[in-house]
Amino acid sequence: MASAPMVLAHEVHGAAQSKALVLLHSLALDRSVWRRIIKPLAKKRAVIAVDLRGHGASPRSTAFSIEDMADDVATTLAALDRRSATVVGMSMGGCVAQAFAVRHPDQVDGLGLIDTTAWYGAEAPRAWQERATKARQSGLRSLSQFQLTRWFGDDFRVANESLCQELLDVFAANDLDSYAAACAALGAFDARERITSITTPTVIVVGEDDRATPPSHAAEIQRRISGAVMHVVPKTRHLTALERPDEVLEHLDGILP
């Protein structure tokens, strides 16, 4: 049964009269993950950075799907009196962005998919359940090293210790029930057939060394969305918008005329 949509906690940057650009963050983080690209984007669009349900300042939620999260984005846009937006999502946010484009096609001007997938694979339900179970048993801090090595390459972690610690603090502050629900939603997510209906201009960006959603996943999305353009960022892992913001901004220009 679908969960009732909600208005998400959000910040708006840039000129209010500009076209809207929505940013959707990755699992167990919040809108601050976009810190390195918000200001440049706000020169072109009214940037709406949200906290997805169960994350950041948005309400906790213990049972929901990726599709429910997509409907939250539509509800938030309606509350802001926005009829449409360019939607950019990273990792889990990229899954939500795909679902939004499928469910609300008339509200999408462009689609940016960063380090994400349309399907985590046949073993995904089990793998995501194991991660949620570990978090419940040992606390989210027990996943810190796993997360850091998935998020960033070695050189970036050494050179950006304070940023890494800030992200881990956001990660550890998550509500465990909401985190487990998000893990379940990702495990169940399979949009492979549905994204073939997407016709909006689409840019896909992926880190060359992304272990969570490798370039093969990005290529599968590109194959299924007509006209989609894919860019592989060299020597980068899973949070490309933080690790290589300039390259991400350059690639997103393709959907920001």
Side-chain angles (χ1 to χ4, degrees):
M1 180 171 148
S3 179
M6 63 176 67
V7 176
L8 301 168
H10 60 274
E11 295 175 349
V12 182
H13 304 259
Q17 67 270 25
S18 301
K19 292 182 178 180
L21 168 65
V22 177
L23 297 177
L24 308 176
H25 61 80
S26 50
L27 172 67
L29 296 178
D30 62 14
R31 59 185 182 258
S32 68
V33 79
W34 301 106
R35 67 187 75 185
R36 292 190 163 186
I37 67 171
I38 278 185
K39 285 185 178 180
L41 289 173
K43 294 177 181 178
K44 300 180 178 182
R45 296 290 177 96
V47 178
I48 304 165
V50 306
D51 288 342
L52 293 165
R53 70 160 61 201
H55 294 72
S58 286
R60 297 179 178 183
S61 189
T62 59
F64 54 89
S65 66
I66 296 298
E67 290 73 25
D68 291 330
M69 299 171 93
D71 292 345
D72 293 340
V73 176
T75 299
T76 304
L77 284 174
L80 293 169
D81 199 26
R82 293 284 184 173
R83 293 185 178 180
S84 64
T86 296
V87 181
V88 175
M90 185 161 58
S91 191
M92 179 183 73
C95 297
V96 177
Q98 290 171 74
F100 182 84
V102 170
R103 294 170 71 82
H104 306 278
D106 295 338
Q107 294 181 250
V108 187
D109 300 326
L111 192 61
L113 304 174
I114 305 172
D115 302 313
T116 192
T117 186
W119 183 52
Y120 281 94
E123 294 299 312
R126 178 193 57 77
W128 282 108
Q129 179 59 50
E130 287 178 355
R131 198 179 304 186
T133 298
K134 181 172 176 58
R136 286 191 185 280
Q137 292 176 343
S138 304
L140 282 161
R141 289 280 183 193
S142 68
L143 296 171
S144 292
Q145 191 58 35
F146 170 81
Q147 291 298 151
L148 273 183
T149 55
R150 300 273 274 196
W151 289 340
F152 304 120
D154 297 344
D155 292 344
F156 185 91
R157 296 200 308 275
V158 171
N160 296 272
E161 289 185 9
S162 61
L163 183 149
C164 290
Q165 188 56 56
E166 288 172 17
L167 291 177
L168 288 178
D169 289 344
V170 172
F171 180 82
N174 274 271
D175 171 62
L176 277 172
D177 289 338
S178 298
Y179 175 78
C183 287
L186 289 168
F189 181 65
D190 183 356
R192 289 174 295 170
E193 297 304 322
R194 287 173 284 149
I195 62 174
T196 59
S197 69
I198 296 174
T199 58
T200 192
T202 300
V203 168
I204 304 162
V205 182
V206 62
E208 179 184 31
D209 301 325
D210 188 345
R211 301 172 181 178
T213 53
S216 60
H217 287 226
E220 179 71 5
I221 296 173
Q222 182 191 28
R223 187 177 71 81
R224 291 176 180 271
I225 298 179
S226 178
V229 177
M230 175 178 159
H231 302 279
V232 178
V233 181
K235 300 179 181 179
T236 309
R237 291 193 185 168
H238 190 56
L239 295 186
T240 306
L242 276 167
E243 193 165 1
R244 302 287 284 275
D246 292 342
E247 285 92 331
V248 170
L249 287 166
E250 179 182 351
H251 297 321
L252 289 179
D253 274 346
I255 53 171
L256 297 173

